[in-house]
């Protein structure tokens, strides 16, 4: 039976890294190649031994697809392509291609420079890896080879994030990566057409949550910033150049305007140009509102938000500063942090996840004393963390309701949820399987390393000859219906890559064969005192009364014909009363012929 | 949030000062029940559509993080258990000390008994039914028994109120009162004493040790009104003396009575409410479990007297902006230990958790 195999790679049940292998129509595809941020040893990499025990992956994989630039989806890519070995194509969207290397390099710096790791990819490896990337646009069908095609759909979530449809012949799989179904201030919501994939693969980390509204998260953010500024404190918000920073800036600008606040808001130098550059480049990836704004003015020309100069950090009074990098592991945000950490009036707002080993990660785990190094001008020794710390999650993910919405959009035949605990998701599984509008067959929840095999029911398109079609229609009966299949008689010719259904005569002609006709003959003996002609006449009358729905002919040359059945009567000169009825019929009328011979064996009515 | 001053934006900005915590959720289907099943868990259930979901939700952990609230980013509800019901659910009660809930559906001839489930599965399973003598569009009113052996007090009209043991289906007690008045609410005061409030405001008090029931009709009963009731008992006492009953009519008439003297209410007041005869379904009055002498009312728009606090979150939501009619709060519930935390649900599927700021005391 044709099937599709899906295996999430990884060790144990741990969430936190995406890397899924799909085997479809003889092709092998790797979906995402994430790093597990919680481990320091080899467990952070996906377990590639599933693909092959030793050696390079190139000949075992037809392509690799990366859904977006978050490290738990692309963090292990350079390791896979350069250290394990893969030279085939790596597909991702344009923004992902532009942003991935930046994040990977940042990550590499933290891991190697800060933590002193050795078994890690180098800067050159990142560059070499990116050379293998083939960027693609939304809704553009890309032929990986003659049989395998892929297409990207908008996923929301972060700039450049996409959901992917993978198609071989009439079988297809859709992989969502991370997505969200509600638009936010700078990105739209995920969208897909009714593509009816055989399997829809979705992350289910948030499948059993009901998300607090974006408004309430924003409210909390504004409340905390406002409270700090009101009491004369300073707010530090470490951000990555793209993503949340824009959202939060727009939010603060509107709030400041509304409340007529005077405290200065600063945006770290370098951040503005970089962010502007990327947004301009990928403007089609943002939502309608942003695009409209961009047409009118520069993204970062805010009334209340100005460029930061490092000397401002020493200014007295309240202020808000957005600075990079996002995890407080180096650079400007860390410098500012060191200056402000000792004052309890100040606040640090962390808008996202921090990798282990960074100052951000330590603080979010409640650490109040940090060992610091630095130049003479900067505070050295132990740093007391007295400022208020707020961890706010702004990331956009689909929750339980979002997943149902996507299912109704795509109408998959089967659903596969990764990264959830099976026993904690039986309710969701029931809900999906009972979804009336979609008639989704089954919902699977494989553990990491476990292969799910989904049997597909592919439809095979066949061209039918017009003659054959006309002939079938002439037979009458109901019109063909998707729900009521009708059997028909024909010959299937598979030649080159085409499938054709033609009449048997046509097929024989094409093959240069002549049709053989099979006829059966049978002799029935009968005692009848009449002449041969009269006996035949009596047979004719008898058949007419029995076979009421058939047309029976009595031909003057001495035969009775029903369909293809020919009946003759002969007798020998020695025994004129012993009649021999000769019946002959073609293969197609076997049933009727047998019936008639049995009938006549019983004799004729007087 | 646009720069244009929308009423809902004003409310949003105001909320920075008026609420300590505010969480807004959108359920797939609206609920008219919020029932506590644990310190941090509630059950909600759908009432629109023939097939309804029952969900047990874990409240956002941020609410419980105390001093470490800043470091906790968990703002979401977690669906811990879920199940399907073949009927829309009008009432849902939890039997304390167990994982059992009982539901009553609209126009149903049975009460459904469910096991919410433990750690090994997230499916809420039906474990049995209790047969009812009659059906009611509003569903049978139910209340948990307070004895060791799980039981449920139920009835849609006074004469049919009975106490049924859940495990066996045995009828433990029947109200011997010939009255076809429909029940608006019922509740046990302690293990044996219970109160029933009829739709016309009449109170009935009974004791499972005593076959007779006393009834206390209103002095000045007007027809066409619907009454809701809320009980506050001083849980430290086993005697019913420390119990106050609040009754609220659909025209805004509020009566407070002490259990020792149900005939004469000790306090009366008139709330100025929108009188809409068709919308009495969601009239709800309850006592704050921690705050002293504090009552909450939902399901009706009230303009005076000035309340200590008014939660306008449901009508000010983004969804409400675009729909034709403003959502109506279907039910609300106080947090069991946090003094000023409430949960409220509305007809548009919204579910809010909020902690209000008392301008006078919280500065």
């Amino acid at each position: 039976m044709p099937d599709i195999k899906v295996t999430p790679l990884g060790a144990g049940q741990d969430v936190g890294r995406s890397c899924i292998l799909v085997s479809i129509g003889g092709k092998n595809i790797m979906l995402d190649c994430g790093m597990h941020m919680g481990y320091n040893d080899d467990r952070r990499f996906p377990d590639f031994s599933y693909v092959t025990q030793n050696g390079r992956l190139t000949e075992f994989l037809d392509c690799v697809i990366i859904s977006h630039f978050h490290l738990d989806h692309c963090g292990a890519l350079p390791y896979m392509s350069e250290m394990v070995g893969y030279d085939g194509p790596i597909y991702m969207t344009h923004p992902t291609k532009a942003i991935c290397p930046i994040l990977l390099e940042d990550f590499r710096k933290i891991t190697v420079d800060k933590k002193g790791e050795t078994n890690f990819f180098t800067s050159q490896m990142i560059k070499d890896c990116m050379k293998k990337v083939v960027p693609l646009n939304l809704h553009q069908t890309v032929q990986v080879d003659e049989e395998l095609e892929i297409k990207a759909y908008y996923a929301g979530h972060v700039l450049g994030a996409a959901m992917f449809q993978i198609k071989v012949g009439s079988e297809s799989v859709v992989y969502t990566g991370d997505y969200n179904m509600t638009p936010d201030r700078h990105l739209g919501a995920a969208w897909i057409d009714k593509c009816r994939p055989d399997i829809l693969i979705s992350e289910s980390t948030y499948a059993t949550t009901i998300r607090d509204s974006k408004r309430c998260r924003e409210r909390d953010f504004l409340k905390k910033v406002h409270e700090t500024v009101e009491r004369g404190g300073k707010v530090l918000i470490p951000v990555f150049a793209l993503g949340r920073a824009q959202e939060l800036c727009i939010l603060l600008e509107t709030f400041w305007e509304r409340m007529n606040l005077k405290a200065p808001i600063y945006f770290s130098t370098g951040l503005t140009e970089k962010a502007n550059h990327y947004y301009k480049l990928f403007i089609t990836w943002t939502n309608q509102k942003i695009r409209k704004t961009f047409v009118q003015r520069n993204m970062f020309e805010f009334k209340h938000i100005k460029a930061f100069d490092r000397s401002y950090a020493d200014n007295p009074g309240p202020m808000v500063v957005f600075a990079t990098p996002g995890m407080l592991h180096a650079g400007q945000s860390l410098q500012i942090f060191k200056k402000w950490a000792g004052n309890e009036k100040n606040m640090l707002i962390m808008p996202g996840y921090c990798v282990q080993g960074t100052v951000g990660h330590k603080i979010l785990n409640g650490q109040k004393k940090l060992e610091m190094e630095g130049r003479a001008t900067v505070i050295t020794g132990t740093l007391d963390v007295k400022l208020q710390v707020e961890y706010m999650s702004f990331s956009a993910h689909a929750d339980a309701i979002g997943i149902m919405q996507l299912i109704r959009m795509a109408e998959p035949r089967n659903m596969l949820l990764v990264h959830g605990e099976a026993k904690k998701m039986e309710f969701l599984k029931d809900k999906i399987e009972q979804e009336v509008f979609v008639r989704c067959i089954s919902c699977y929840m494989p553990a990491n390393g476990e292969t799910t095999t989904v049997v597909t029911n592919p439809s095979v398109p066949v061209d039918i000859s017009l003659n054959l079609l006309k002939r079938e229609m002439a037979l009458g009966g109901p019109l063909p219906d998707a729900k009521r299949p009708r059997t028909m008689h024909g010959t299937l010719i598979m030649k080159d890559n085409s499938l054709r259904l033609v009449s048997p005569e046509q097929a024989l002609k094409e093959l240069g064969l002549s049709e053989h006709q099979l006829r059966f003959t049978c002799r029935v003996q009968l005692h009848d005192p009449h002449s041969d002609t009269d006996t035949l006449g009596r047979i004719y009358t008898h058949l007419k009364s029995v076979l009421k729905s058939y047309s029976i002919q009595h031909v003057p040359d001495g035969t009775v014909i029903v369909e293809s059945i020919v009946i003759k009567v002969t007798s020998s000169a020695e025994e004129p009363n012993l009649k021999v009825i000769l019946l002959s019929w073609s293969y197609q009328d076997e049933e009727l012929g047998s019936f008639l011979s049995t009938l006549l064996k019983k004799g004729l009515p007087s | 949030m646009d720069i244009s001053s929308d009423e809902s934006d004003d409310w949003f900005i105001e909320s920075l000062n008026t609420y300590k915590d505010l969480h807004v959720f959108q359920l797939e289907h609206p609920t008219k029940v919020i029932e506590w099943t644990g310190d941090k868990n509630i059950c909600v259930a759908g009432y629109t559509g023939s097939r309804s979901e029952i969900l047990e939700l874990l409240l956002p952990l941020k609410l419980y993080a105390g001093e470490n609230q800043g470091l906790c980013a968990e703002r979401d509800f977690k669906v811990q258990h879920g199940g399907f019901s073949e009927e829309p659910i009008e009432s849902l009660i939890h039997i304390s000390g167990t994982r059992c809930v009982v539901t009553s559906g609209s126009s149903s001839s049975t009460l459904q008994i469910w096991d919410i489930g433990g750690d090994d599965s997230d499916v809420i399973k039906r474990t049995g039914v209790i047969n009812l003598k009659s059906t009611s569009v509003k569903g049978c009113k139910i209340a948990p028994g307070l004895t060791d052996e799980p039981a449920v007090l139920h009835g849609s009209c006074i004469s049919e109120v009975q106490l049924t043991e859940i495990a066996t289906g045995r009828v433990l007690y029947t109200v011997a009162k010939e009255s076809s008045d429909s029940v608006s609410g019922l509740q046990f005061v302690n293990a044996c004493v219970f109160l029933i409030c009829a739709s016309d405001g009449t109170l009935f008090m009974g004791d499972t040790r005593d076959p007779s029931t006393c009834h206390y009709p209103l002095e000045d009963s007007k027809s066409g009104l619907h009454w809701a009731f809320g009980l506050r008992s001083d849980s430290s006492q086993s005697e019913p003396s420390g119990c106050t009953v609040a009754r609220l009519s659909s025209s805004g008439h509020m009566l407070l009575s002490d259990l020792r003297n149900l005939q004469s209410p000790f306090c009366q007041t008139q709330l100025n409410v929108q009188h809409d005869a068709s919308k009495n379904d969601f009239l709800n009055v309850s006592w704050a479990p921690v705050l002293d002498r504090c009552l909450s009312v939902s399901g009706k728009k009230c303009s005076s007297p000035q309340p200590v606090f008014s939660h306008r979150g449901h009508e000010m939501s983004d969804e409400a902006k675009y729909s034709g009619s403003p959502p109506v709060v279907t039910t609300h519930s106080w947090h069991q230990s946090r003094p000023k935390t409430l949960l409220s649900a509305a007809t548009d599927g919204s579910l809010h958790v909020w902690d209000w700021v008392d301008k006078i005391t919280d500065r």
Side-chain angles (χ1 to χ4, degrees):
Chain A
M1 291 298 291
D3 59 36
I4 302 175
K5 291 185 167 59
V6 180
T7 314
L9 295 188
Q13 284 277 353
D14 279 332
V15 187
R17 176 226 294 109
S18 296
C19 185
I20 300 166
L21 273 188
V22 172
S23 288
I24 174 175
K27 307 284 169 190
N28 294 327
I29 300 110
M30 182 181 284
L31 300 169
D32 280 339
C33 191
M35 179 81 82
H36 195 305
M37 312 306 270
Y39 293 117
N40 286 327
D41 50 31
D42 280 353
R43 284 176 297 175
R44 59 187 159 189
F45 301 120
D47 186 5
F48 298 119
S49 66
Y50 181 81
V51 183
T52 172
Q53 288 290 335
N54 41 32
R56 304 178 68 77
L57 302 172
T58 316
E59 58 182 278
F60 297 95
L61 292 174
D62 292 280
C63 72
V64 174
I65 297 175
I66 301 292
S67 62
H68 63 288
F69 61 66
H70 277 159
L71 290 171
D72 55 341
H73 289 257
C74 73
L77 188 64
Y79 168 80
M80 193 266 304
S81 72
E82 306 311 304
M83 291 169 85
V84 178
Y86 170 74
D87 299 312
I90 301 172
Y91 292 96
M92 57 180 81
T93 61
H94 287 272
T96 310
K97 180 178 180 198
I99 300 165
C100 241
I102 304 171
L103 274 166
L104 287 169
E105 180 54 38
D106 255 0
F107 179 46
R108 191 204 67 77
K109 265 204 243 183
I110 298 171
T111 316
V112 173
D113 299 347
K114 295 281 162 192
K115 287 155 78 186
E117 297 248 0
T118 44
N119 186 29
F120 213 73
F121 49 82
T122 62
S123 294
Q124 186 56 43
M125 286 181 185
I126 297 175
K127 293 195 179 90
D128 291 337
C129 172
M130 297 312 288
K131 288 196 192 117
K132 299 171 184 171
V133 169
V134 179
L136 28 71
N137 295 313
L138 284 179
H139 309 157
Q140 169 201 1
T141 304
V142 169
Q143 294 286 144
V144 177
D145 60 35
E146 269 172 20
E147 288 138 325
L148 173 62
E149 47 179 68
I150 60 177
K151 182 154 80 164
Y153 288 92
Y154 191 77
H157 186 59
V158 290
L159 192 68
M163 308 189 288
F164 285 87
Q165 180 195 43
I166 298 120
K167 206 163 174 191
V168 178
S170 62
E171 290 176 308
S172 66
V173 164
V174 169
Y175 171 59
T176 64
D178 284 340
Y179 64 104
N180 66 287
M181 301 301 290
T182 45
D184 60 28
R185 282 172 201 282
H186 77 301
L187 293 175
W191 179 87
I192 194 165
D193 49 15
K194 223 188 270 292
C195 54
R196 300 213 172 103
D198 290 287
I199 310 176
L200 174 62
I201 303 175
S202 173
E203 295 282 320
S204 55
T205 323
Y206 292 90
T208 51
T209 64
I210 297 181
R211 303 276 282 170
D212 189 10
S213 71
K214 182 170 58 90
R215 263 200 149 194
C216 283
R217 289 170 205 272
E218 290 177 345
R219 180 195 163 267
D220 218 24
F221 173 71
L222 291 175
K223 190 168 150 73
K224 295 285 174 337
V225 170
H226 192 218
E227 275 170 6
T228 308
V229 156
E230 287 271 278
R231 64 171 180 245
K234 297 172 166 57
V235 184
L236 173 63
I237 310 171
V239 286
F240 172 56
L242 291 155
R244 298 308 137 207
Q246 276 63 45
E247 287 270 306
L248 301 176
C249 279
I250 298 167
L251 188 58
L252 275 187
E253 166 89 350
T254 325
F255 185 61
W256 246 241
E257 181 72 19
R258 180 62 171 267
M259 304 286 280
N260 206 16
L261 297 174
K262 301 291 173 216
I265 310 176
Y266 298 112
F267 208 72
S268 181
T269 42
L271 205 65
T272 324
E273 288 102 66
K274 218 187 257 180
N276 255 332
H277 167 72
Y278 285 116
Y279 270 91
K280 266 197 221 147
L281 208 54
F282 303 120
I283 193 66
T284 49
W285 284 84
T286 58
N287 66 22
Q288 267 300 96
K289 242 194 214 167
I290 296 286
R291 264 176 270 171
K292 269 200 223 153
T293 318
F294 225 120
V295 168
Q296 292 161 7
R297 60 173 172 87
N298 183 322
M299 263 299 289
F300 286 90
E301 252 161 48
F302 291 113
K303 239 173 93 175
H304 303 276
I305 308 181
K306 306 276 171 242
F308 185 68
D309 182 277
R310 101 159 91 143
S311 62
Y312 298 173
D314 298 315
N315 288 359
M319 71 172 81
V320 181
V321 176
F322 288 90
T324 55
M327 300 182 205
L328 279 187
H329 53 278
Q332 194 164 68
S333 60
L334 185 60
Q335 273 185 20
I336 300 170
F337 172 72
K338 285 181 193 170
K339 289 194 180 178
W340 296 357
N343 188 339
E344 61 250 324
K345 270 202 240 170
N346 295 339
M347 177 177 283
L348 172 71
I349 297 181
M350 300 297 297
Y353 178 78
C354 293
V355 167
Q356 231 187 43
T358 56
V359 170
H361 185 93
K362 291 182 184 148
I363 295 173
L364 288 180
N365 277 343
Q367 227 175 302
K368 292 276 186 248
K369 285 196 193 301
L370 295 165
E371 297 297 318
M372 292 268 117
E373 354 128 315
R375 287 169 287 179
T377 50
V378 185
I379 305 165
T380 55
T382 315
L383 185 68
D384 273 323
V385 180
K386 290 202 187 130
L387 55 45
Q388 255 191 281
V389 180
E390 288 285 329
Y391 183 17
M392 296 190 184
S393 161
F394 287 98
S395 70
H397 282 271
D399 60 4
I401 298 170
I403 291 184
M404 296 308 296
Q405 284 174 328
L406 187 70
I407 291 176
R408 286 176 200 130
M409 253 193 207
E411 293 194 7
R413 299 209 186 90
N414 295 283
M415 189 70 197
L416 197 137
L417 299 169
V418 288
H419 290 159
E421 280 180 71
K423 65 179 184 194
K424 298 276 168 78
M425 297 198 329
E426 221 189 296
F427 171 62
L428 181 64
K429 181 178 187 296
D430 283 346
K431 197 169 148 144
I432 291 172
E433 286 177 354
Q434 288 164 24
E435 178 61 27
V436 178
F437 301 107
V438 176
R439 275 171 289 159
C440 185
I441 303 172
S442 306
C443 179
Y444 300 91
M445 292 182 291
N448 283 329
E450 187 189 319
T451 302
T452 302
T453 306
V454 178
V455 172
T456 56
N457 206 359
S459 55
V460 182
V462 172
D463 289 326
I464 180 171
S465 88
L466 194 57
N467 278 336
L468 187 61
L469 191 61
K470 281 187 185 165
R471 186 156 69 162
E472 272 303 311
M473 296 315 296
L475 290 175
L479 286 173
D481 187 313
K483 295 196 180 100
R484 255 171 283 169
R486 189 172 139 171
T487 41
M488 57 177 287
H489 186 72
T491 313
L492 184 71
I493 302 182
M494 295 200 289
K495 199 170 162 190
D496 300 321
N497 266 336
S498 74
L499 292 163
R500 282 183 307 129
L501 201 60
V502 297
S503 64
E505 298 81 34
Q506 174 72 16
L508 287 168
K509 205 162 101 181
E510 286 188 24
L511 292 168
L513 297 169
S514 51
E515 188 176 357
H516 297 287
Q517 296 276 343
L518 276 172
R519 285 193 78 85
F520 296 97
T521 49
C522 168
R523 283 179 166 77
V524 177
Q525 286 189 328
L526 209 62
H527 283 277
D528 196 292
H530 302 97
S531 69
D532 287 358
T533 324
D534 286 344
T535 309
L536 190 66
R538 288 181 64 209
I539 290 171
Y540 172 68
T541 318
H542 181 46
L543 291 188
K544 272 198 82 163
S545 74
V546 172
L547 299 176
K548 294 204 172 64
S549 57
Y550 286 87
S551 121
I552 308 172
Q553 291 168 282
H554 186 168
V555 183
D557 71 354
T559 55
V560 166
I561 298 175
V562 179
E563 301 290 314
S564 67
I565 301 159
V566 178
I567 303 170
K568 283 192 162 89
V569 175
T570 54
S571 56
S572 69
E574 298 86 32
E575 290 190 67
N577 288 348
L578 184 64
K579 304 290 179 209
V580 176
I581 310 172
L582 188 72
L583 292 113
S584 152
W585 61 86
S586 76
Y587 169 72
Q588 277 84 351
D589 288 322
E590 157 69 12
E591 216 181 301
L592 184 60
S594 301
F595 171 72
L596 287 181
S597 75
T598 314
L599 180 73
L600 292 174
K601 276 187 185 133
K602 291 184 191 152
L604 294 171
S606 36
Chain B
M1 196 167 76
D2 294 299
I3 299 201
S4 63
S5 350
D6 217 11
E7 214 195 333
S8 122
D9 286 340
D10 284 341
W11 178 83
F12 177 72
I13 299 288
E14 258 303 293
S15 77
L16 265 70
N17 294 324
T18 51
Y19 293 85
K20 187 165 145 293
D21 293 307
L22 177 63
H23 297 261
V24 166
F25 302 92
Q26 191 63 34
L27 297 173
E28 219 179 332
H29 306 286
T31 181
K32 51 158 88 164
V33 303
I34 297 176
E35 174 82 350
W36 290 92
T37 53
D39 255 353
K40 301 178 184 159
N41 304 69
I42 56 166
C43 254
V44 295
Y47 66 93
T48 55
S50 57
R51 208 149 188 274
S52 307
E53 282 177 13
I54 304 174
L55 302 173
E56 189 196 30
L57 306 173
L58 175 69
L59 261 64
L61 293 176
K62 206 172 167 72
L63 286 172
Y64 299 93
E67 273 166 20
N68 287 330
Q69 213 188 35
L71 297 180
C72 179
E74 281 293 336
R75 301 184 63 93
D76 306 326
F77 266 122
K78 226 170 154 9
V79 179
Q80 292 201 302
H81 296 92
F84 296 100
S85 161
E86 298 300 317
E87 56 188 18
I89 291 176
E90 292 287 317
S91 312
L92 187 151
I93 52 150
H94 171 241
I95 307 292
S96 173
T98 70
R99 290 297 283 159
C100 172
V101 296
V102 180
T103 61
S104 82
S106 168
S107 305
S108 168
S109 58
T110 58
L111 293 180
Q112 315 277 312
I113 305 164
W114 308 82
D115 176 17
I116 305 174
D119 284 334
D120 54 343
S121 156
D122 73 331
V123 177
I124 297 177
K125 298 188 179 80
R126 209 182 70 166
T127 54
V129 295
I130 291 175
N131 291 309
L132 300 172
K133 290 190 203 131
S134 68
T135 70
S136 144
V137 174
K138 294 232 187 84
C140 186
K141 300 295 173 202
I142 48 180
L146 296 180
T147 51
D148 286 332
E149 189 53 49
V152 55
L153 185 69
H154 57 92
S156 32
C157 67
I158 306 290
S159 58
E160 287 179 2
V161 173
Q162 65 188 45
L163 180 67
T164 308
E165 190 174 54
I166 291 176
T168 60
R170 202 160 56 100
V171 176
L172 301 173
Y173 179 86
T174 323
V175 164
K177 202 80 184 176
E178 282 301 316
S179 164
S180 58
D181 287 343
S182 62
V183 173
S184 161
L186 31 66
Q187 196 170 329
F188 269 98
V189 174
N190 61 26
C192 305
V193 178
F194 62 88
L195 272 184
I196 309 172
C197 178
S199 294
D200 67 355
T202 310
L203 280 179
F204 293 79
M205 184 159 86
D207 190 317
T208 54
R209 297 165 294 196
D210 184 343
S212 66
T213 3
C214 313
H215 80 287
Y216 306 93
L218 289 174
E219 272 171 18
D220 181 19
S221 163
K222 294 191 187 77
S223 66
L225 292 180
H226 170 84
W227 288 81
F229 95 134
L231 211 63
R232 180 183 214 227
S233 45
D234 191 353
S235 50
S236 62
Q237 300 193 9
S238 55
E239 283 306 308
S241 53
C243 177
T244 326
V245 184
R247 276 174 289 175
L248 177 65
S249 82
S250 47
S251 66
H253 200 67
M254 172 92 84
L255 299 170
L256 301 181
S257 315
D258 187 294
L259 212 70
R260 288 164 291 196
N261 183 5
L262 289 177
Q263 188 56 56
S264 327
F266 66 80
C267 176
Q268 296 199 33
T269 186
Q270 179 68 41
L271 303 178
N272 204 347
V273 296
Q274 222 176 40
H275 186 74
D276 188 341
S278 63
K279 291 204 176 103
N280 293 326
D281 283 357
F282 304 127
L283 190 61
N284 211 298
V285 57
S286 51
W287 289 93
V290 180
L291 292 179
D292 206 20
R293 303 187 310 161
C294 185
L295 268 176
S296 56
V297 172
S298 71
K300 281 270 179 202
K301 224 176 152 71
C302 176
S303 47
S304 74
Q306 191 69 308
V308 172
F309 188 81
S310 175
H311 175 66
R312 301 184 67 203
H314 293 280
E315 56 175 336
M316 292 298 176
S317 66
D318 281 333
E319 288 81 17
K321 255 197 283 193
Y322 303 117
S323 73
S325 51
V328 177
V329 174
T330 57
T331 184
H332 71 274
S333 180
W334 287 82
H335 193 284
Q336 293 166 324
S337 50
R338 290 164 62 102
K340 299 215 280 296
T341 306
L342 285 102
L343 285 85
S344 55
T347 48
D348 61 354
S350 53
L351 180 63
H352 295 184
V353 183
W354 40 284
D355 198 309
W356 48 280
V357 169
D358 190 330
K359 292 199 170 71
I360 304 158
T361 63
D362 287 345
R363 261 298 152 184

